Structures are given as structure tokens and as C-alpha cells.
């Protein structure tokens, strides 16, 4: 199967516009979704913690399962 590449700005502009539309739609949908208050508080507490010192050999921390 042949690959198609964006060769000019109109292709890239169209793709950027499409991505922006998807992001806006997802944000609007998320605004109307009920939120678990406990989960929100846990996320805020987690994000408020300072970052641990990074070591080159450490594996990334998985925040979402």
C-alpha cells in the first residue's frame, strides 16, 4: 500500500484543523461527564506532591492503570 504524505500547507492545515476539532469535541464531552469527587481529590493531591529526584535507571511511574 502506498503512503501519502502532506506535501503542502493546505494538507497540514486541514490535518491541524481536524485535530483541533477532535480536541474541542472531547473537551465539550468531558465538561458534561460526571466526576468522581474522591478521584478528583486524589488526583489533585498527587499532582501537588513534589517530584522525586530522577535517576537514570528508574522506570517511569505508571499513574493510570
Amino acid at each position: 500500500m502506498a503512503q501519502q504524505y502532506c506535501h503542502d500547507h493546505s494538507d497540514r492545515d486541514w490535518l491541524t484543523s481536524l485535530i483541533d476539532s477532535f480536541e474541542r469535541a472531547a473537551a465539550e464531552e468531558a465538561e458534561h461527564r460526571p466526576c468522581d469527587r474522591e478521584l478528583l481529590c486524589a488526583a489533585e493531591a498527587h499532582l501537588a506532591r513534589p517530584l522525586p529526584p530522577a535517576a537514570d535507571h528508574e522506570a517511569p511511574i505508571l499513574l493510570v492503570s
Side-chain angles (χ1 to χ4, degrees), residues 2-28:
Q3 290 183 346
Q4 185 175 2
Y5 297 97
C6 294
H7 291 289
D8 61 23
H9 287 291
S10 64
D11 288 343
R12 186 169 295 176
D13 292 343
W14 177 84
L15 183 57
T16 299
S17 176
L18 179 64
I19 292 169
D20 289 344
S21 296
F22 279 129
E23 288 175 346
R24 278 194 308 275
E28 289 171 4

